[in-house]
Amino acid sequence: MAGILAWFWNERFWLPHNVTWADLKNTEEATFPQAEDLYLAFPLAFCIFMVRLIFERFVAKPCAIALNIQANGPQIAQPNAILEKVFTAITKHPDEKRLEGLSKQLDWDVRSIQHWFRQRRNQEKPSTLTRFCESMWKFSFSLYIFTYGVRFLKKTPWLWNTKHCWYNYPYQPLTTDLHYYYILELSFYWSLMFSQFTDIKRKDFGIMFLHHLTAISLITFSYVNNMARVGTLVLCLHDSADALLEAAKMANYAKFQKMCDLLFVMFAMVFITTRLGIFPLWVLNTTLFESWEIIGPYPSWWVFNLLLLLIQGLNCFWSYLIIKMACKAVSRGKVSKDDRSDIESSSDEEDSEPPGKNPHTATTTNGTSGTNGYLLTGPCSMDD
């Protein structure tokens, strides 16, 4: 284990040439980032998660109820023993061949069976109230951490001249405000990493998991090798649009459509401007070029910049989704569904029952009453 630790903390990987860990030990004159400081993030992440539970129950839920947001979830599929068995034991997404077989067995038309499976899948999704509470928590924390970051950074020289991120590097003292900002951000991402498995599941679960993992790696990397100054720029820039997104979702859940549209437009403008404009032209410029001129590259420098480029790739992916959603919103006249939505919808649901067999009067081959079938009603969709 000692050999593994010695290999992992190799100074030639983490630090510039002629710099050792001994040079960055804390003294009475100056305090520097220490790797063991990062252990504080784990108990703090647990505390953040507990605060979230309390906030959602005693703050967000009363607000949702005051806005007449109901706790009921998607429409419940009519009980049917045969379809339920297929859904739970075989597949939640039956193919065309299986649909035809079920159609003959139940004497239902294929569209009614497809509609039943769609509603049954949606039935396991959380209610609008649950979604509102989650968004309100993320909105509140994002607004707080972004506000704190702006108030902190406006007093620093590297906000106005990014070359100060590299002057006298790595012998840059760690201030109390910077330490608090970093540990709080790291703790929040750890809490998101764990809660992602219990939160609302969305289509981009894998991408979000990769994002959280990359963010944690970046924060850890930049803290250990004292790139915290440029790290604060990355954190604050990426926090700038989050509160607007969650506010737009809250407005959508509360059915304030005009406010939702306005907030979404603001979010899209801020997101695309900061992540496709300011981030590459300002942050990547200083991490790739200004740092090269002032301190020169070394192994962990390459890893840090590769992680930043990975973040930029994710930014491009999400910008594509936002632009795609905006184009749909323009054609519809409103913003009503996030492309990351976990609730399915289909134009099939909006169609009336086609002529043919009636699932409510038919009997199955095994004697199951047709009243266990599904009554095709109006569209079932819950916006995200």
Side-chain angles (χ1 to χ4, degrees):
M1 181 59 69
I4 292 174
L5 290 175
W7 169 82
F8 181 81
W9 293 111
N10 190 304
E11 294 165 337
R12 298 284 60 80
F13 171 80
W14 288 98
L15 303 174
H17 187 61
N18 291 330
V19 179
T20 66
W21 293 119
D23 298 328
L24 298 178
K25 287 294 184 182
N26 293 333
T27 64
E28 294 181 358
E29 292 77 21
T31 300
F32 299 102
Q34 305 296 315
E36 53 267 25
D37 297 344
L38 300 177
Y39 290 129
L40 294 172
F42 293 105
L44 187 55
F46 177 76
C47 292
I48 289 175
F49 183 72
M50 297 305 296
V51 170
R52 170 184 174 173
L53 296 179
I54 296 171
F55 178 90
E56 289 185 354
R57 181 170 182 178
F58 296 104
V59 179
K61 187 175 180 179
C63 290
I65 294 174
L67 293 170
N68 294 322
I69 297 176
Q70 303 299 319
N72 57 303
Q75 190 174 3
I76 304 298
Q78 188 73 21
N80 184 286
I82 294 176
L83 296 181
E84 185 68 26
K85 183 177 180 181
V86 173
F87 182 87
T88 56
I90 302 176
T91 178
K92 297 181 180 181
H93 299 270
D95 55 23
E96 185 176 348
K97 183 177 180 180
R98 189 176 299 278
L99 287 171
E100 291 177 355
L102 289 171
S103 177
K104 294 177 181 178
Q105 185 178 1
L106 295 172
D107 198 24
W108 287 18
D109 61 87
V110 170
R111 174 168 293 188
S112 295
I113 297 174
Q114 288 176 322
H115 195 83
W116 188 94
F117 273 93
R118 186 176 299 113
Q119 280 204 322
R120 183 63 182 83
R121 290 192 294 267
N122 288 345
Q123 186 178 317
E124 299 182 344
K125 306 302 180 179
S127 66
T128 305
L129 187 142
T130 301
R131 296 158 177 269
F132 181 91
C133 292
E134 178 184 325
S135 289
M136 189 171 181
W137 160 251
K138 291 181 178 179
F139 165 79
S140 302
F141 188 90
S142 298
L143 183 62
Y144 166 73
I145 199 65
F146 175 67
T147 303
Y148 180 88
V150 170
R151 292 181 62 186
F152 164 69
L153 283 172
K154 70 180 183 180
K155 298 180 292 185
T156 63
W158 60 86
L159 176 65
W160 315 105
N161 182 358
T162 52
K163 290 185 177 181
H164 281 278
C165 293
W166 314 109
Y167 291 153
N168 197 36
Y169 176 84
Y171 307 106
Q172 298 168 340
L174 177 69
T175 65
T176 302
D177 289 342
L178 194 154
H179 177 260
Y180 172 78
Y181 187 31
Y182 245 70
I183 296 300
L184 188 61
E185 286 274 14
L186 181 60
S187 302
F188 180 64
Y189 277 108
W190 271 121
S191 71
L192 288 180
M193 175 73 82
F194 298 136
S195 66
Q196 189 179 11
F197 295 95
T198 58
D199 284 344
I200 299 168
K201 298 295 188 297
R202 294 184 171 89
K203 294 178 182 179
D204 65 346
F205 176 87
I207 296 294
M208 287 302 298
F209 185 83
L210 178 62
H211 171 267
H212 297 335
L213 188 62
T214 305
I216 289 171
S217 300
L218 270 169
I219 295 172
T220 302
F221 252 83
S222 57
Y223 189 86
V224 170
N225 62 6
N226 206 13
M227 287 187 178
R229 289 187 175 183
V230 73
T232 57
L233 300 180
V234 176
L235 290 171
C236 191
L237 196 63
H238 281 76
D239 288 336
S240 59
D242 291 347
L244 288 171
L245 174 61
E246 301 304 332
K249 289 182 180 181
M250 290 162 59
N252 190 31
Y253 301 146
K255 302 188 184 303
F256 298 152
Q257 193 59 54
K258 291 184 178 180
M259 182 181 295
C260 172
D261 294 343
L262 176 62
L263 289 169
F264 176 77
V265 170
M266 294 172 61
F267 159 73
M269 293 175 61
V270 172
F271 187 98
I272 293 173
T273 300
T274 55
R275 305 202 185 192
L276 297 189
I278 299 176
F279 181 67
L281 296 178
W282 187 48
V283 175
L284 290 182
N285 176 68
T286 192
T287 60
L288 288 170
F289 302 111
E290 292 180 348
S291 65
W292 184 293
E293 295 175 1
I294 297 173
I295 63 173
Y298 53 98
S300 69
W301 179 94
W302 288 103
V303 174
F304 181 68
N305 279 285
L306 285 174
L307 290 171
L308 287 177
L309 292 173
L310 177 58
I311 288 287
Q312 182 60 13
L314 294 174
N315 290 339
C316 292
F317 170 76
W318 280 314
S319 296
Y320 161 75
L321 292 183
I322 291 169
I323 294 171
K324 179 181 176 182
M325 184 177 172
C327 292
K328 289 182 180 179
V330 169
S331 64
R332 276 197 309 258
K334 66 177 183 177
V335 178
S336 65
K337 192 170 184 66
D338 188 338
D339 275 348
R340 305 191 305 126
S341 178
D342 47 286
I343 294 293
E344 303 176 37
S345 65
S346 170
S347 59
D348 291 346
E349 296 174 323
E350 298 175 357
D351 297 335
S352 59
E353 183 77 38
K357 299 178 179 65
N358 186 347
H360 310 293
T361 59
T363 57
T364 66
T365 55
N366 64 354
T368 303
S369 172
T371 57
N372 287 333
Y374 169 69
L375 175 62
L376 188 62
T377 57
C380 170
S381 68
M382 186 172 294
D383 301 329
D384 184 7

